Amino acid sequence: MELEKHPYNKNFSWSVPNGPYSYLNSGQVESFSKDGFIILHKVFDADFMKKIISIIDPFEAQITENLKEFNEGKFFISRSEEITFTTHLVTQSKELKKFSKDKVFSSLCLDLIGKDVRLYWDQAVYKKGGTKDEFPWHQDNGYTFLEPQSYLTCWLALTDTDETNGCPWVVPKIHRQGTLKHKITDLGYEIPLDSSQAIPIHLSAGSMAVFSSLTPHRTGPNITSQVRKAYILQYAPDGAVRKINDSVTELASEENRQFLIVEKGKSIN
Ligand SMILES: O=C(O)CCC(=O)C(=O)O
């Protein structure tokens, strides 16, 4: 199924590094290349995730307070009592900065991106109990257009997640078309997509969905009474640029939050 493309998406072709791979096996890389995602179970232990949560919670609580200053607690895609996005945590916590450079992430970057890679973005996303709305189908590159279009999203579950509390869903194979046209809705950017092939991804705390910035994904409602907590870390090739308009680009290399984690094929700690 060919979908309407983003206007900046021209001459896109999908590829992954040839290997040898340091963390994944070639079957996992093949799956990632074919379907646009892989699931890594129990990468970190649940107690360590509790520690990460204890670091993130105070920053998220502050974001929730800040949102309450806005009309109905809503600003862009954040809603104080439903879904919050706490961004650039690596600039606020030395522990999270260190965590973003963990060997798991640098090895994944070497396997799936290449030899020189930067952290591009980090954010905690908390989906609160009783949230009825979904977070709509989108590609991460649909929000801010990066060139090269393909970078890596690590959606790390801090708490267990399934369809009852807003786990991620993906549609396989569409990443190969590059960035698609999104429309703006009240809940966020959205790709009008036939989601009959969509797959829900159940994750225990410490497990991770690893997908491309071009993989359409959404998260569902949270009908439980608990907060679903995720920490999302995204990595892009060194030299990636944010496209501002047809003729203006900006290098994604703000040193305080877009630092190198892999250089010349070696992890940086
Ligand atoms: O974690 C969520 O509920 C949605 C977050 C998401 O899809 C994203 O940040 O791209």
Side-chain angles (χ1 to χ4, degrees):
M1 183 200 357
E2 276 293 311
L3 290 152
E4 195 176 345
K5 292 198 168 43
H6 188 291
Y8 295 155
N9 174 10
K10 298 190 178 105
N11 308 316
F12 175 75
S13 94
W14 169 263
S15 66
V16 289
N18 287 325
Y21 304 114
S22 64
Y23 183 68
L24 301 174
N25 59 46
S26 48
Q28 288 171 307
V29 177
E30 212 173 286
S31 256
F32 177 80
S33 182
K34 178 165 72 77
D35 293 329
F37 74 100
I38 49 171
I39 302 169
L40 300 177
H41 291 288
K42 296 195 190 314
V43 188
F44 300 105
D45 73 46
D47 280 344
F48 182 46
M49 293 301 93
K50 284 189 187 142
K51 169 142 197 287
I52 298 289
I53 288 173
S54 73
I55 299 170
I56 295 177
D57 274 0
F59 295 114
E60 193 281 336
Q62 186 58 55
I63 289 291
T64 294
E65 279 314 301
N66 298 349
L67 279 168
K68 289 181 183 161
E69 302 293 315
F70 292 89
N71 189 21
E72 295 180 2
K74 177 170 166 44
F75 179 73
F76 186 38
I77 54 177
S78 301
R79 303 187 298 281
S80 62
E81 300 312 321
E82 299 190 299
I83 185 167
T84 59
F85 296 77
T86 308
T87 56
H88 309 322
L89 284 157
V90 293
T91 63
Q92 301 173 75
S93 156
K94 283 200 182 75
E95 287 111 315
L96 293 177
K97 181 171 185 180
K98 182 160 176 270
F99 181 59
S100 74
K101 300 177 179 186
D102 189 282
K103 198 82 185 147
V104 167
F105 300 117
S106 55
S107 313
L108 279 171
C109 289
L110 268 167
D111 288 353
L112 298 177
I113 305 180
K115 290 188 177 350
D116 297 279
V117 183
R118 286 178 184 271
L119 180 70
Y120 165 61
W121 192 270
D122 73 299
Q123 63 184 14
V125 185
Y126 281 19
K127 187 168 278 203
K128 304 192 178 174
T131 299
K132 292 192 181 64
D133 286 317
E134 66 164 2
F135 190 70
W137 286 109
H138 67 283
Q139 297 165 308
D140 290 333
N141 212 43
Y143 271 81
T144 298
F145 195 96
L146 229 62
E147 195 69 71
Q149 296 177 42
S150 174
Y151 59 90
L152 198 66
T153 293
C154 298
W155 197 104
L156 173 65
L158 300 177
T159 53
D160 296 351
T161 185
D162 61 20
E163 288 99 320
T164 63
N165 67 352
C167 71
W169 292 66
V170 294
V171 178
K173 300 191 169 58
I174 288 177
H175 60 293
R176 288 175 166 261
Q177 297 181 32
T179 312
L180 301 170
K181 185 167 178 196
H182 290 61
K183 62 177 187 187
I184 299 187
T185 75
D186 211 31
L187 300 174
Y189 289 90
E190 181 167 18
I191 310 169
L193 191 69
D194 166 12
S195 56
S196 56
Q197 305 300 313
I199 299 169
I201 301 182
H202 297 179
L203 298 167
S204 59
S207 299
M208 197 154 71
V210 177
F211 45 83
S212 161
S213 56
L214 300 172
T215 303
H217 60 285
R218 49 93 71 172
T219 60
N222 180 355
I223 59 167
T224 71
S225 55
Q226 306 296 314
V227 186
R228 189 232 62 201
K229 303 182 180 183
Y231 187 32
I232 299 175
L233 298 117
Q234 299 176 315
Y235 298 91
D238 184 31
V241 293
R242 183 166 80 88
K243 207 161 159 62
I244 294 166
N245 60 39
D246 267 328
S247 48
V248 182
T249 58
E250 180 189 66
L251 208 52
S253 62
E254 261 184 55
E255 242 352 283
N256 64 336
R257 62 181 180 85
Q258 295 176 320
F259 37 82
L260 282 163
I261 76 144
V262 171
E263 190 173 28
K264 299 192 175 80
K266 298 256 181 304
S267 310
I268 297 178
N269 295 310

